[in-house]
Amino acid sequence: MNKETEKIDLPKVEDERGNLTFVENSQIPFSIKRVYWVYDVPGGQERGGHAFKEQKELIVSLSGSFDVVINAGSEESRFHLNRSYYGLYIPNLIWRYMENFSTNAVALVLASTLYSADDYVRDYDEFEAIAS
Ligand code: TYD
């Protein structure tokens, strides 16, 4: 279960005063240990070209839009994130990067681990060796 990248719909509480979305551990396939966000990305820049050995994550576009490109080994898939009421779940050992950030895009990442530089796989050949 949950070995695949998948879009996860989040609750959207619509209100004429403004909408509200939330996420709890029970809605996603991991417990949240860390939250970070990427923003002020200049046009044409790419972020996050690597895999994680352990980290599972949910990526949400809180504002604006961007693409998440993932590589599960054999083929690439591109997910366009442009709404704050769903997220893209990415298991560990998936090569992923983000690009095509719009002006004012904010990429929220809910992560299953604390930050550890050792958890990063930044070399694609090493990734293929580990993931195969
Ligand atoms: P990194 O994840 O490498 O960003 P990208 O993959 O988009 O290049 O993070 C950039 C820098 O920020 C890196 O030096 C590590 C640091 N960082 C932390 O200290 N804590 C964190 O939780 C994250 C995500 C990054």
Side-chain angles (χ1 to χ4, degrees):
M1 284 292 282
N2 302 123
K3 291 261 167 47
E4 303 291 334
T5 299
E6 62 174 340
K7 185 181 159 217
I8 294 182
D9 290 321
L10 301 171
K12 181 182 182 190
V13 185
E14 294 194 44
D15 192 305
E16 59 193 21
R17 299 168 300 157
N19 299 330
L20 183 152
T21 287
F22 58 93
V23 58
E24 298 182 346
N25 283 337
S26 58
Q27 296 165 281
I28 56 176
F30 60 87
S31 290
I32 300 162
K33 278 229 177 106
R34 179 168 49 109
V35 178
Y36 62 92
W37 47 101
V38 178
Y39 55 98
D40 290 349
V41 178
Q45 287 292 330
E46 192 179 290
R47 297 291 316 227
H50 50 70
F52 294 107
K53 294 174 198 157
E54 298 296 335
Q55 180 183 312
K56 301 172 175 61
E57 60 191 3
L58 186 81
I59 302 179
V60 180
S61 173
L62 279 191
S63 172
S65 66
F66 53 90
D67 292 344
V68 182
V69 184
I70 64 121
N71 182 321
S74 51
E75 62 188 43
E76 277 198 343
S77 305
R78 179 176 295 269
F79 296 85
H80 185 62
L81 303 192
N82 64 350
R83 294 284 183 267
S84 54
Y85 50 80
Y86 67 83
L88 184 68
Y89 167 67
I90 305 180
N92 53 329
L93 293 180
I94 299 285
W95 190 272
R96 54 80 159 162
Y97 64 92
M98 294 177 272
E99 65 177 8
N100 292 334
F101 285 85
S102 69
T103 305
N104 293 331
V106 180
L108 179 76
V109 183
L110 310 179
S112 67
T113 62
L114 300 179
Y115 174 73
S116 165
D118 289 343
D119 195 44
Y120 283 67
V121 185
R122 295 187 182 276
D123 179 80
Y124 195 82
D125 290 339
E126 184 190 349
F127 161 69
E128 284 199 312
I130 294 173
S132 62

